[in-house]
Amino acid sequence: MTSLLVATCVAAVSLATASAALAQAAPAAAAAPTISYGPAIPGICVLSLEGAVGNSTVGKYVQTRMTQIGTQVQAELTAEQTAINSAAKALDAQKGTLDQGSFDKQAADLQLRANAYQRKAQLRDREMQATQQKALGRVSQELDPVVRAAFQQSKCSLLLQRDALVIANPQMDITGAVVTGLNARITQFAFDREHLDQA
């Protein structure tokens, strides 16, 4: 169950980020028609893991912290890319005044810098993915007992993933209880970017 929760948590943060972007970009949609639900089925419960993580305090914290780390990474890479671009422009401006050997040497050195930059950008991307996976793994560890407690407290016999259903009676949904339980258990924890080059 833990590996499923980690995968679901990763999807939740990605989904929450995409949903926030869509909510800002999309105009207000017309109100959905009212639905009359049949009776809640005793023992069958519904849970949105994505919703539980995305609406929890710790889920929002992880999303905010990932954005902060991403901004730091982007600033680092942008500064390096700007320096390489400036060096390329300077070298291009000197093309007419340098002998061919000097120009070729500087061009080769610049290409080495550009290649190193590409490798660093790819490494930072993998580090961001590893950071997100580790952070959400921690959330998943905290979430697992909360889901089990909500399952037992609601006297569930069967727990269905809400996001796999088209429509379900909201009285069967234990997502709110899981969010409340997760908020009581953890709100934030310290984490920084994983450094795979030191592994």
Side-chain angles (χ1 to χ4, degrees), residues 7-9 11-13 15-16 47-55 161 163 175:
T8 303
C9 288
V13 170
L15 182 64
L47 170 66
S48 170
L49 287 170
E50 292 87 354
V53 172
N55 290 317
Q161 171 67 282
D163 302 317
T175 304

Side-chain angles (χ1 to χ4, degrees), residues 129-195:
Q129 291 173 19
T131 302
Q132 183 180 43
Q133 187 171 16
K134 185 174 180 180
L136 292 175
R138 170 69 192 279
V139 173
S140 177
Q141 288 175 346
E142 302 291 341
L143 182 63
D144 189 48
V146 173
V147 170
R148 291 176 190 277
F151 180 89
Q152 291 179 336
Q153 186 176 23
S154 299
K155 298 184 179 5
C156 302
S157 297
L158 176 66
L159 182 60
L160 301 173
Q161 171 67 282
R162 186 177 76 192
D163 302 317
L165 304 173
V166 178
I167 299 174
N169 187 322
Q171 292 177 351
M172 298 164 32
D173 195 324
I174 63 170
T175 304
V178 170
V179 170
T180 300
L182 188 57
N183 286 346
R185 191 172 173 94
I186 187 171
T187 57
Q188 64 181 10
F189 56 94
F191 71 94
D192 286 309
R193 189 186 87 229
E194 293 295 298
H195 294 275

Side-chain angles (χ1 to χ4, degrees), residues 30-38 167-168 170:
T34 304
I35 296 175
S36 296
Y37 297 99
I167 299 174

